[in-house]
Amino acid sequence: MTTQETIQLFDKYVIANYGRLPRVIVKGEGNYLFDADGNKILDMFPGWAVSGIGHCHPRVVEAIRKQAGELLHIDNTFYNEKQGILASMLSERGFGGKCFFCNSGAEANEAAMKLARKYTAEGKYKFITTEGSFHGRTYATVTATAQPKYHEGFLPMLPGFEYVPFNDVEALQRAFSDEVAAVMVEPIQGEGGINVATPEFMHTIRELCDAHGAAMILDEVQTGMGRTGKWFGYQHFDVEPDIISMAKALGGGMAIGGIMAKPEVAKALVPGTHASTFGGNPIACAAGIAVIEAIEQDNLLQNAVQMGEYAIEKIEALKQKHEIIDHVRSKGLMIGIQLTGPGAAIVDKCLEKGLRINCTQQTVLRFMPSMTVTRDQLDTALEILDTVLTEGSEE
């Protein structure tokens, strides 16, 4: 089937709720994609951060193959070995919490919010989230997402949500009351433009939650699983949340999400209070185990730190050359290049030259390469960006 034939098939039969790039991807390998026309694309935004250790990592592929020959699915009225192992591995690398598994980041955030309300005292129903956040597309999570553009056409949103500016300590203090069940924030806003939380903001959330009997939920859907150089984003802030949500890179390409909650919080979810039919299925959990093993055996946390520093050094050099680059925000391999103008055309031109990046908030170029990225690959990516910016300035 040709590229045009596939696109025509989509146009006729697939709901057009995505803005799709005009490529049909047929293969992924490491940090590269290959399309149906034989083009090779250097992928610096793999699967919207899902392929955190690259496309089709051999350890993940082998774990899936092996598990697929033994047990594809079993419902959660039984135990399955892989789910327990994955939960223990996450707990040991986190804060010693207990896990619940589902299929996506939105589902994970839904579970986190339900758990917070179930755990906290009766009468606590409010959630505080931050402007510029992104927590998912289900009704509760899109309500939690404090960006009006995601609410358009879906009003009224769910009651009980209040929004404060990100990193605004005084606004957070004013918004707090004994009716608050939880504060939910991203340690680093991804879709919001790679905005890094301040230590003061994170510690104030912890202090206010403790003072008012509320839960601190950290959305670690993008920051979890090592991309920032630590297993979880909260570990940069010397603060411990009550609940974190996870997804994206957790399954190395397999659909899996989850939460981790302190044991005293987790016990609020008893049989019948929450569930996910496919959550924690053996294949997704086998993939998650392989992801953790690959990260540790290949020292990918260290690589994320080193390659992140290297990329920033190169981008700062580009900033001296191109006025459109205002500044850079980053933590590990979560990198946002703040532009002085729109970035969509830059992303399109980079793709034409074989580089995939992303633009968010209209003016932020987002690089989130896999943790296996090399210096040579970063050099190639930033040389392409340099060329595109140079051509743009000459037009």
Side-chain angles (χ1 to χ4, degrees):
M1 190 177 290
T2 67
T3 294
Q4 282 308 310
E5 287 171 338
T6 299
I7 291 174
Q8 288 169 7
L9 198 66
F10 269 58
D11 288 344
K12 188 173 183 178
Y13 293 109
V14 179
I15 293 175
N17 62 315
Y18 295 104
R20 296 184 190 272
L21 300 168
R23 304 290 183 104
V24 177
I25 302 301
V26 295
K27 181 181 177 182
E29 182 178 343
N31 292 306
Y32 294 95
L33 295 171
F34 300 84
D35 70 18
D37 297 320
N39 297 304
K40 183 178 179 180
I41 302 165
L42 178 57
D43 193 356
M44 292 287 114
F45 196 68
W48 289 76
V50 164
S51 302
I53 58 172
H55 296 283
C56 298
H57 192 287
R59 286 192 180 92
V60 176
V61 171
E62 179 55 31
I64 292 170
R65 283 187 174 136
K66 185 173 184 297
Q67 185 59 47
E70 296 174 356
L71 184 65
L72 286 174
H73 176 76
I74 186 66
D75 58 85
N76 280 305
T77 52
F78 291 96
Y79 294 94
N80 85 72
E81 184 182 68
K82 296 297 190 298
Q83 187 177 140
I85 292 172
L86 178 59
S88 69
M89 293 173 82
L90 291 168
S91 180
E92 289 163 3
R93 287 153 185 81
F95 49 80
K98 303 183 78 169
C99 298
F100 163 82
F101 294 106
C102 48
N103 306 293
S104 68
E107 262 195 88
N109 284 329
E110 286 272 357
M113 288 187 283
K114 284 184 68 177
L115 173 56
R117 277 198 177 170
K118 197 78 169 58
Y119 167 69
T120 54
E122 188 174 348
K124 289 184 175 295
Y125 68 100
K126 289 186 177 178
F127 293 102
I128 296 177
T129 65
T130 57
E131 295 174 2
S133 61
F134 185 87
H135 299 294
R137 301 278 191 167
T138 63
Y139 243 112
T141 60
V142 81
T143 304
T145 297
Q147 297 193 59
K149 66 180 180 180
Y150 290 115
H151 299 174
E152 292 177 6
F154 301 108
L155 298 174
M157 307 310 292
L158 298 181
F161 288 80
E162 186 165 352
Y163 314 126
V164 299
F166 191 61
N167 280 337
D168 190 329
V169 170
E170 292 182 0
L172 176 66
Q173 291 169 330
R174 286 195 300 270
F176 233 98
S177 73
D178 286 337
E179 295 177 326
V180 173
V183 177
M184 184 164 72
V185 300
E186 299 153 280
I188 303 169
Q189 290 186 336
E191 195 272 351
I194 314 296
N195 303 309
V196 183
T198 63
E200 181 186 14
F201 190 60
M202 296 288 277
H203 284 273
T204 302
I205 294 172
R206 180 70 274 171
E207 290 165 7
L208 288 170
C209 286
D210 289 342
H212 292 269
M216 180 178 184
I217 303 172
L218 294 185
D219 179 339
E220 296 257 15
V221 169
Q222 286 200 21
T223 53
M225 302 309 293
R227 186 178 299 281
T228 68
K230 293 184 181 293
W231 280 107
F232 301 104
Y234 80 85
Q235 293 167 336
H236 290 282
F237 296 94
D238 190 29
V239 64
E240 194 170 275
D242 297 302
I243 308 168
I244 61 171
S245 58
M246 305 166 275
K248 298 286 190 187
L250 178 56
M254 289 295 293
I256 182 171
I259 61 171
M260 182 194 304
K262 289 179 178 175
E264 63 272 26
V265 179
K267 66 183 180 183
L269 285 187
V270 298
T273 53
H274 195 59
S276 174
T277 297
F278 291 97
N281 83 68
I283 290 187
C285 289
I289 292 167
V291 167
I292 293 173
E293 290 175 344
I295 289 172
E296 292 189 332
Q297 290 169 13
D298 295 341
N299 294 319
L300 296 184
L301 293 180
Q302 183 180 8
N303 195 60
V305 173
Q306 292 175 341
M307 292 302 100
E309 292 173 351
Y310 182 70
I312 296 304
E313 180 183 323
K314 302 280 290 188
I315 294 168
E316 289 291 347
L318 286 182
K319 179 175 177 293
Q320 302 306 313
K321 186 177 178 182
H322 301 286
E323 292 183 355
I324 193 172
I325 297 178
D326 187 80
H327 65 276
V328 186
R329 299 184 291 269
S330 72
K331 184 71 78 175
L333 289 172
M334 289 185 72
I335 301 168
I337 303 175
Q338 179 67 60
L339 304 177
T340 58
I346 294 171
V347 171
D348 291 343
K349 290 176 182 175
C350 284
L351 184 59
E352 290 173 6
K353 296 180 184 299
L355 169 66
R356 192 207 184 188
I357 56 175
N358 169 260
C359 178
T360 187
Q361 301 297 313
Q362 300 185 12
T363 58
V364 181
L365 298 182
R366 193 161 41 154
F367 280 69
M368 293 178 63
S370 91
M371 297 164 66
T372 63
V373 72
T374 66
R375 286 175 182 254
D376 286 346
Q377 289 165 347
L378 288 172
D379 285 343
T380 299
L382 294 171
E383 284 168 9
I384 292 173
L385 178 62
D386 185 13
T387 299
V388 168
L389 295 180
T390 299
E391 292 175 352
S393 67
E394 294 171 350
E395 291 177 352

